[in-house]
Amino acid sequence: MFRSLSLTLFVSLFALSFVNVFAQNDKKVLGEVTIYAEDPIYKNLRTLSSAADAFGGDYAKVNNLVLHKDAAVFTLKTGEIYFIRSVEGKPTGAVFIGTGEFFLAPPVEIEKKSLAIFTDSPEVKEGFDTLTVFFTDDTFKEISASPAVTMGKAGPQADKARAAYRDKEERLRRDFHYNITSRILADMYAPDRKGFFTAFIDGKNFGKLVFQI
């Protein structure tokens, strides 16, 4: 399990329960879009990471890439981002391997006080060497268009990225009992939505953290 579920709750935009965040999103999204297990796109998404070359396509070398996600800031100082192969023309996951930092400063005072109960600080600053993300927002477009990025194909750590991604997929299923594939497909069928962003942070201080918007 993740090091601190309580910390995860607050990093996940201070929801009452991280599992409940997922469950509520399911109800909201799947109430509008019906997902069938036999859907060919669903099947493709579900098994995408099992292919040996799942991360053998697009990758990005980064140099101080900064990603702003709501109240959080991800600084990817140096390293590589590996994207899972696209489905329906869009990648929906990636793994960063390198040196990075996660920073979260809650905008509301009560949230800062709540966070301090678990971290002894009203903010979270966590260094990491691996970041695994699932998304349906504009993350790929934001990264690939950045001047801090050099795009390429078939990066040297694709196998390591695939292993990290599959580990987090399994954790979502086993520990959180959450079907991330259904959420991804629901957003693909409703492209006007803003989309979601979920990050698994392999941190150096707090351990494993999860951030979601």
Side-chain angles (χ1 to χ4, degrees):
M1 287 291 291
F2 292 95
R3 179 178 181 274
S4 172
L5 184 57
S6 296
L7 178 57
T8 301
L9 308 187
F10 284 94
V11 173
S12 302
L13 295 188
F14 315 99
L16 293 176
S17 164
F18 188 73
V19 176
N20 284 342
V21 171
F22 282 132
Q24 290 164 8
N25 283 343
D26 261 350
K27 292 175 183 177
K28 178 176 67 175
V29 173
L30 299 183
E32 301 173 3
V33 178
T34 302
I35 303 301
Y36 297 98
E38 296 304 311
D39 186 309
I41 301 177
Y42 177 84
K43 288 183 175 181
N44 192 359
L45 287 167
R46 187 78 169 173
T47 60
L48 193 61
S49 67
S50 63
D53 64 346
F55 285 83
D58 291 326
Y59 88 108
K61 293 182 179 180
V62 304
N63 183 13
N64 290 317
L65 172 66
V66 179
L67 299 175
H68 294 270
K69 298 293 182 180
D70 199 78
V73 180
F74 295 84
T75 303
L76 309 185
K77 298 177 181 179
T78 182
E80 299 164 347
I81 305 172
Y82 291 81
F83 297 95
I84 197 165
R85 291 195 180 278
S86 298
V87 173
E88 298 296 296
K90 186 175 183 179
T92 56
V95 176
F96 168 77
I97 301 170
T99 301
E101 184 179 85
F102 169 72
F103 178 72
L104 175 66
V108 180
E109 189 63 31
I110 191 171
E111 293 175 346
K112 291 181 179 180
K113 291 180 179 178
S114 297
L115 185 61
I117 294 174
F118 298 93
T119 65
D120 296 322
S121 172
E123 302 173 340
V124 172
K125 180 181 285 189
E126 179 79 338
F128 58 82
D129 53 24
T130 306
L131 179 73
T132 304
V133 297
F134 301 82
F135 56 86
T136 56
D137 62 2
D138 291 331
T139 294
F140 177 75
K141 184 184 298 184
E142 181 181 359
I143 293 173
S144 60
S146 171
V149 162
T150 301
M151 297 296 295
K153 297 283 187 181
Q157 300 188 82
D159 289 343
K160 184 176 180 180
R162 175 174 172 262
Y165 189 88
R166 287 175 64 80
D167 175 69
K168 300 308 184 291
E169 280 186 319
E170 177 60 24
R171 287 177 179 270
L172 280 167
R173 294 166 185 161
R174 183 188 67 232
D175 298 339
F176 293 110
H177 307 289
Y178 183 67
N179 187 346
I180 192 74
T181 307
S182 292
R183 175 60 200 273
I184 290 171
L185 184 57
D187 282 1
M188 291 175 71
Y189 281 152
D192 290 339
R193 290 192 184 133
K194 186 178 180 180
F196 76 93
F197 176 88
T198 298
F200 287 78
I201 305 157
D202 292 338
K204 298 180 178 180
N205 183 26
F206 295 108
K208 298 184 183 299
L209 304 178
V210 183
F211 173 84
Q212 170 166 305
I213 54 172

